[in-house]
Amino acid sequence: MNDVIIKPDITIKEAMKKLGLSAEKCLVVTDSNDFLLGTLSDGDLRKAILNGAVLNDSISKFFQE
């Protein structure tokens, strides 16, 4: 399960790598206390990039709460 858990401060590029290595369709975003914040899918990342985000941007604005 740890292979799909990420923190909201990672970059889009890091999230894309993690999704690529995972067999899952989305990643689970948690805070430092492992409290669920939301999910991030490859569609969320594509949409962010199409709307002008760059690979070094944090995912904090793009995951689904």
Side-chain angles (χ1 to χ4, degrees):
M1 177 80 170
N2 282 341
D3 59 330
V4 297
I5 297 174
I6 57 173
K7 302 298 180 202
D9 59 343
I10 72 166
T11 65
I12 291 174
K13 185 176 182 177
E14 291 170 319
M16 290 174 77
K17 284 181 184 179
K18 190 108 175 178
L19 262 176
L21 295 173
S22 168
E24 302 300 326
K25 301 282 186 192
C26 70
L27 301 172
V28 176
V29 183
T30 63
D31 66 11
S32 59
N33 296 318
D34 291 329
F35 181 77
L36 177 65
L37 298 176
T39 60
L40 182 75
S41 70
D42 63 337
D44 296 327
L45 294 172
R46 280 196 307 267
K47 198 180 313 179
I49 292 168
L50 287 173
N51 287 327
V54 294
L55 295 180
N56 289 329
D57 285 346
S58 165
I59 63 153
S60 62
K61 296 181 264 180
F62 308 116
F63 69 87
Q64 302 300 310
E65 296 180 8

